[in-house]
Amino acid sequence: MEVKPKRRNAAENGETAEDLASLIGNGEDLAPIVRHAFEMRWPETLLHQLKIIVKKKEVEIEELCKTHYEEFICAVDELRGVLVDAEELKGELSSDNSKLQEVGSALLVRLEELLGSYSIKKNVAKAINMSDNCVQVLDLCAKCNVHISKDQFYPALKTINLIEKNYLQKISVKSLRMVIETRIPVIKSHIAKKVSDEFNEWLVHIRSSAKVIGQTAIGHAATSRQKDEAMLERQRQVEEQSISGLGDFAYTLDVEDIDEDSALKFDLTPVYRAYHIHASLGTLEQFREYYYRNRMLQLNSDLQISSSQPFIESYQTFLAQIAGYFIVEDRVMRTARGLLSAEQFDAMLETVVSKLTSVLEEQFSLMDSATHLLLVKDYVTLLASALRQYGYEIGAVLEAFNKSRDKYHELLLEECRQQIVDALANDSGKQMVMKKDSDYETNVLSFNLQSSDIMPAFPYIAPFSSTVPDVCRIVRSFIKGSVDYLSYSVHSSPFDAVKKYLDRLLTDVLNEAILNTIHSSSVAVSQPMQIAANITVLERACDFFLSYAAQLSGVPLLERPQANLNSNIVLKTSRDAANLALLNLVNTKLDEFMALTENISWTSEEVSANANDYTNEVLIYLDTILSTVQQILPLEALYKVGSGAFEHISNSIFAAFLSDSVKRFNANAVMAIDNDLKVLETFADEKFHSSGLSEMYEGGSFRKGLVEARQLINLLLSSQPENFMNPEIREEKYNMLDYKKVGIICEKFKDSPDGIFGSLSNRNTKQSSRKKSMDILKKRLKDFN
């Protein structure tokens, strides 16, 4: 077991020696092999192999020397010869070196002097460059100081930025660089403070100037509105004349160069300067925030209502301040781009719209005058128009007027109510007399009240009293106020709303006031007559009111509505009420005259040849009244009054027979009343035909009003009164008579006069027959009732 390893080691050693010899022969590195032998703990083996290799090499060297011995000897001899030559060369070199050293010493001195000069030149050039930099920097510093002394801050900052960027790091003089580095922040701070102070002064100045700026802009808007309205009025006149075919027209275009008012040329230089300065300082974002915050504070302050004076006295200043504020901000946003963003401007606008709407709604709720509401509304619409020229809408503010329009019209209606009541109270109740054409134009033509296009002769007595033109002016003023309030709002055309409120004025105010006047206890006969005449004219004026409202509302002539106002019907009803009140007053007066029937001798022994006293009084009164009515009222009204008066007379005659004071009457009294009736019937026919009513009411007459009294008298004077109970005859001759009333009257009818010999006066056959028939009638009526 021990022999085998030795053989194996010997074999391995032989292979290792050969490998080492090969490696050494190839000149390779033996370090890995040596390291491996020590790692494997075979150093003795490796040493042994190396010794073997050495021995082999020594043998090879000896063999090689033996082979080249003679050549080696020759080489040694040549080498000795070379040594001799080398010694000679060395001596020559030493000699040459000594000579060279002698010559080069002088040149070396000159070289050192040259190198020194080069160093000095370089230092001088460097010093000159440093001086140039310092001179340039100092020159820029001097320029900066000049700019600052002249308040030219932006060029000063540009100069400082140039120093910092291009020169500061090149300054080799430490003390100078430190001074400049120390002064730059101080200068920037100084500039920033100066600019901020200037900008703050501008904030104060622009706020105080905003009112004037706003007033100027609103003034321009008002002028523009007036021109637009004048143009629309000319256009309306041209359209009306064109439709009526009055001839050719020349159209002109008015072109006016309007220079911008000096108040609108406000200075924004401090803003621009501050903007650019802060941009140069790198603090632009802080400046934007500072600008927006301070302007918003000013805006909120401007939106505060002054408590020291009423809103109606301060609203123009209040609104002008807001207008001026936005005009300034619009200019800032358009010219100082980036300073104020669109979002920030929209936030300002939303703040104003919200606050202004709230303020207006609150103030409107406190106002008790339509005039004040209209003044504020008009100025706010001018504010909206002024801002619209800059591209900004505040429609939400105008909505506040729409919410308050009912209150405005309630106040306006109340004002008109008082004016109308005063006009009615101050009316003389007499027809209006116009002495010259200017009066006619003012009171008639201006309201289209004329019944003819022909100018009347003067003095002209109008069918109406002074109330009519007074009321027309009040209504026209109401229409103007209503259109003014509803115009320039969110609604395109105010006509429908104006028409609605106009109907309310005529129905709830005018008509009510007229009815109150009619129903007042102290009304004379002439007053309802004149009121009825006035209402007739006012009905005709309603067309003018509607046309005037359409005209002011901007409705084209061809598109104007043809329908009437609803108040026409109400006024017609009031006219009927006035006619009824007139008739009642006439009847009341007639009652005074008809009371004279008490003086009639109901049991007279003979028939009077003349009419009773009351008849003459009635005729005189009716002639006066009906003539007056005919002058100022339509024929329809005349017919109603006349028919009603005669019917009332008929009823009064009938009532006289039914009166408890009349215990009995005879045929002579009936004949006397028959004579009265004939006189009244004749007058009724004459008046009916002379007034022209016969042409309007064919077959009609005032006589029909007396038919009941006539049928009663005819029955009492009839030879056969018992025929009243015959249906056919009664329908033909006595259809207006009532059974019960006829029965009462017939019971009082005694066909014999009072007196001792009364029975002897009625002994003829005819009278006896009539009396017998009357008795039959009385009996039959008694049985019927």
Side-chain angles (χ1 to χ4, degrees):
M1 292 182 65
E2 295 177 355
V3 176
K4 289 181 180 179
K6 288 183 178 180
R7 290 177 182 175
R8 185 176 62 242
N9 291 337
E12 291 176 359
N13 293 341
E15 292 175 358
T16 303
E18 292 177 357
D19 291 338
L20 288 174
S22 175
L23 292 174
I24 294 172
N26 294 331
E28 295 184 9
D29 188 11
L30 298 179
I33 297 174
V34 175
R35 187 182 302 109
H36 179 69
F38 278 93
E39 289 176 356
M40 297 302 294
R41 297 180 181 178
W42 295 338
E44 295 84 0
T45 304
L46 178 60
L47 184 60
H48 176 71
Q49 291 174 351
L50 290 175
K51 289 179 178 180
I52 294 172
I53 292 171
V54 171
K55 289 179 178 181
K56 287 181 178 181
K57 292 298 180 180
E58 287 179 348
V59 173
E60 290 177 0
I61 292 173
E62 288 178 356
E63 290 178 354
L64 183 61
C65 289
K66 290 177 179 179
T67 303
H68 299 285
Y69 176 75
E70 293 180 357
E71 295 178 359
F72 181 75
I73 296 298
C74 291
V76 171
D77 291 337
E78 291 178 358
L79 182 58
R80 287 179 178 175
V82 172
L83 290 174
V84 173
D85 294 335
E87 287 293 334
E88 293 178 357
L89 181 60
K90 181 177 178 182
E92 292 176 358
L93 287 174
S94 177
S95 175
D96 291 336
N97 181 52
S98 299
K99 295 178 180 179
L100 183 61
Q101 289 292 335
E102 294 176 1
V103 174
S105 298
L107 294 175
L108 185 59
V109 173
R110 300 295 299 273
L111 177 60
E112 290 177 353
E113 293 176 356
L114 180 59
L115 291 175
S117 298
Y118 278 130
S119 178
I120 293 172
K121 179 182 178 182
K122 181 178 180 182
N123 292 335
V124 170
K126 185 176 181 180
I128 292 173
N129 187 32
M130 291 172 58
S131 300
D132 290 339
N133 287 335
C134 292
V135 169
Q136 292 177 5
V137 169
L138 292 175
D139 185 48
L140 291 175
C141 291
K143 289 182 178 179
C144 180
N145 289 334
V146 172
H147 289 319
I148 293 174
S149 65
K150 295 180 179 180
D151 289 340
Q152 298 173 348
F153 300 130
Y154 188 68
L157 281 179
K158 285 293 185 182
T159 304
I160 291 175
N161 290 338
L162 182 63
I163 293 173
E164 287 183 311
K165 183 177 180 180
N166 298 336
Y167 293 96
L168 188 59
Q169 299 303 322
K170 296 180 180 179
I171 300 176
S172 301
V173 181
K174 184 177 181 181
S175 58
L176 177 60
R177 184 172 67 248
M178 290 180 63
V179 170
I180 294 176
E181 288 176 346
T182 304
R183 295 301 299 171
I184 285 177
V186 176
I187 294 173
K188 289 183 176 181
S189 176
H190 170 74
I191 292 175
K193 185 177 183 305
K194 290 284 289 185
V195 169
S196 296
D197 292 342
E198 184 179 307
F199 175 73
N200 290 334
E201 291 176 0
W202 177 86
L203 284 175
V204 175
H205 169 73
I206 203 64
R207 186 185 182 192
S208 62
S209 303
K211 179 181 72 174
V212 178
I213 296 171
Q215 289 173 340
T216 303
I218 291 175
H220 288 173
T223 302
S224 177
R225 176 181 294 182
Q226 291 173 356
K227 291 180 179 179
D228 292 342
E229 291 175 349
M231 182 184 69
L232 290 175
E233 178 62 21
R234 290 196 299 269
Q235 180 181 355
R236 182 190 63 80
Q237 294 175 356
V238 169
E239 288 179 355
E240 292 180 353
Q241 293 175 1
S242 176
I243 292 173
S244 61
L246 294 180
D248 299 330
F249 308 95
Y251 295 88
T252 60
L253 177 64
D254 295 332
V255 179
E256 183 178 355
D257 294 331
I258 301 177
D259 295 331
E260 186 178 15
D261 197 285
S262 60
L264 297 178
K265 296 179 180 178
F266 45 87
D267 185 19
L268 292 179
T269 302
V271 179
Y272 301 147
R273 177 180 295 181
Y275 179 81
H276 291 297
I277 293 300
H278 283 282
S280 300
L281 293 174
T283 56
L284 182 57
E285 193 60 37
Q286 291 87 331
F287 176 67
R288 288 174 180 164
E289 181 62 28
Y290 180 80
Y291 178 87
Y292 178 68
R293 183 174 64 255
N294 279 273
R295 289 296 280 165
M296 281 297 290
L297 289 173
Q298 288 185 342
L299 177 60
N300 290 325
S301 177
D302 292 340
L303 290 172
Q304 299 299 318
I305 299 298
S306 174
S307 58
S308 60
Q309 60 182 151
F311 183 72
I312 192 62
E313 297 179 5
S314 62
Y315 74 93
Q316 291 190 355
T317 302
F318 173 72
L319 296 174
Q321 187 75 22
I322 294 174
Y325 179 91
F326 274 102
I327 292 172
V328 171
E329 291 309 307
D330 174 76
R331 186 79 59 83
V332 170
M333 188 174 69
R334 287 188 293 107
T335 57
R337 298 187 179 276
L339 175 57
L340 188 66
S341 67
E343 291 77 11
Q344 290 174 328
F345 190 90
D346 291 341
M348 291 178 175
L349 190 60
E350 290 177 3
T351 300
V352 166
V353 169
S354 175
K355 181 64 176 179
L356 188 56
T357 302
S358 175
V359 168
L360 291 177
E361 289 178 350
E362 179 184 0
Q363 294 300 322
F364 283 180
S365 66
L366 300 175
M367 289 183 183
D368 55 1
S369 169
T371 304
H372 292 171
L373 276 169
L374 182 59
L375 288 173
V376 176
K377 180 264 174 187
D378 184 61
Y379 209 77
V380 173
T381 55
L382 289 175
L383 166 65
S385 178
L387 293 181
R388 192 176 297 114
Q389 294 178 2
Y390 293 88
Y392 307 114
E393 294 289 345
I394 55 172
V397 177
L398 301 182
E399 280 291 347
F401 302 123
N402 189 44
K403 296 178 182 178
S404 301
R405 69 177 185 176
D406 286 339
K407 176 178 180 177
Y408 168 79
H409 284 90
E410 288 297 335
L411 294 173
L412 191 60
L413 286 170
E414 194 58 37
E415 292 177 3
C416 291
R417 184 191 305 276
Q418 187 58 48
Q419 294 172 6
I420 290 174
V421 169
D422 292 341
L424 291 173
N426 297 328
D427 187 21
S428 63
K430 298 179 181 179
Q431 293 173 264
M432 195 172 184
V433 179
M434 302 174 199
K435 299 181 179 179
K436 50 186 178 181
D437 55 355
S438 60
D439 296 337
Y440 186 78
E441 291 177 359
T442 302
N443 297 302
V444 179
L445 296 180
S446 59
F447 306 112
N448 291 340
L449 302 180
Q450 68 275 15
S451 57
S452 173
D453 294 334
I454 301 175
M455 183 70 73
F458 296 97
Y460 167 71
I461 301 177
F464 51 83
S465 67
S466 60
T467 295
V468 171
D470 289 342
V471 168
C472 287
R473 291 186 188 94
I474 294 170
V475 175
R476 184 174 62 182
S477 174
F478 175 86
I479 295 172
K480 181 67 166 59
S482 179
V483 172
D484 287 345
Y485 188 85
L486 295 173
S487 298
Y488 304 103
S489 61
V490 292
H491 302 284
S492 57
S493 175
F495 176 70
D496 292 336
V498 173
K499 181 182 176 184
K500 181 185 75 172
Y501 291 115
L502 176 59
D503 260 328
R504 285 192 58 189
L505 172 68
L506 298 177
T507 303
D508 299 343
V509 178
L510 176 60
N511 184 67
E512 182 181 336
I514 290 175
L515 289 177
N516 291 337
T517 304
I518 293 173
H519 297 148
S520 62
S521 58
S522 60
V523 176
V525 175
S526 61
Q527 194 165 2
M529 185 188 309
Q530 190 61 63
I531 290 175
N534 291 346
I535 294 175
T536 301
V537 180
L538 288 174
E539 287 182 68
R540 192 163 65 247
C542 286
D543 294 335
F544 164 76
F545 297 149
L546 192 62
S547 176
Y548 184 66
Q551 173 188 331
L552 293 185
S553 300
V555 179
L557 185 63
L558 296 177
E559 298 178 9
R560 291 179 186 175
Q562 301 299 321
N564 294 327
L565 291 166
N566 297 330
S567 51
N568 276 14
I569 300 174
V570 179
L571 287 175
K572 185 178 182 301
T573 304
S574 297
R575 176 162 54 87
D576 293 339
N579 290 333
L580 180 60
L582 170 62
L583 180 58
N584 291 335
L585 290 172
V586 170
N587 291 340
T588 302
K589 189 66 177 178
L590 287 174
D591 288 339
E592 296 178 8
F593 300 132
M594 295 304 294
L596 297 176
T597 56
E598 296 179 357
N599 299 328
I600 295 177
S601 178
W602 293 97
T603 56
S604 175
E605 296 181 358
E606 59 182 12
V607 179
S608 175
N610 299 320
N612 289 308
D613 293 340
Y614 77 90
T615 305
N616 294 327
E617 297 292 340
V618 168
L619 290 178
I620 295 172
Y621 179 72
L622 284 179
D623 184 57
T624 303
I625 288 296
L626 294 179
S627 297
T628 306
V629 171
Q630 183 180 353
Q631 290 178 3
I632 65 175
L633 289 180
L635 292 178
E636 178 185 359
L638 174 62
Y639 179 76
K640 291 181 179 180
V641 173
S643 298
F646 283 106
E647 183 177 352
H648 186 72
I649 293 173
S650 175
N651 294 335
S652 297
I653 293 174
F654 211 102
F657 281 100
L658 292 172
S659 174
D660 294 337
S661 62
V662 179
K663 303 299 182 181
R664 57 179 292 189
F665 61 89
N666 59 18
N668 292 336
V670 174
M671 291 180 185
I673 292 178
D674 180 53
N675 292 335
D676 296 342
L677 270 178
K678 289 178 180 178
V679 173
L680 290 171
E681 287 170 343
T682 301
F683 173 79
D685 290 340
E686 292 176 355
K687 203 65 181 177
F688 188 83
H689 292 288
S690 65
S691 63
L693 287 172
S694 57
E695 298 176 1
M696 180 181 294
Y697 300 95
E698 294 182 5
S701 175
F702 287 145
R703 179 193 288 264
K704 290 183 178 180
L706 299 170
V707 65
E708 186 177 14
R710 168 51 61 196
Q711 289 182 1
L712 177 62
I713 298 302
N714 288 344
L715 175 63
L716 296 176
L717 296 179
S718 172
S719 59
Q720 294 180 326
E722 63 181 301
N723 288 339
F724 177 77
M725 300 305 294
N726 186 321
E728 294 181 359
I729 296 177
R730 184 174 58 80
E731 182 64 28
E732 179 182 355
K733 296 182 178 181
Y734 310 113
N735 61 315
M736 298 297 295
L737 299 180
D738 179 71
Y739 283 100
K740 186 175 181 179
K741 292 180 180 180
V742 171
I744 295 173
I745 293 173
C746 288
E747 287 295 329
K748 296 181 180 183
F749 184 47
K750 307 295 181 180
D751 193 9
S752 60
D754 291 336
I756 300 175
F757 302 101
S759 60
L760 298 176
S761 63
N762 283 326
R763 294 287 180 93
N764 59 70
T765 305
K766 182 177 180 181
Q767 287 286 58
S768 298
S769 174
R770 185 173 64 182
K771 183 177 182 302
K772 182 179 180 180
S773 178
M774 178 61 69
D775 291 340
I776 294 172
L777 175 61
K778 290 178 182 179
K779 183 177 182 304
R780 295 182 66 180
L781 285 173
K782 185 181 295 184
D783 294 340
F784 180 83
N785 291 331

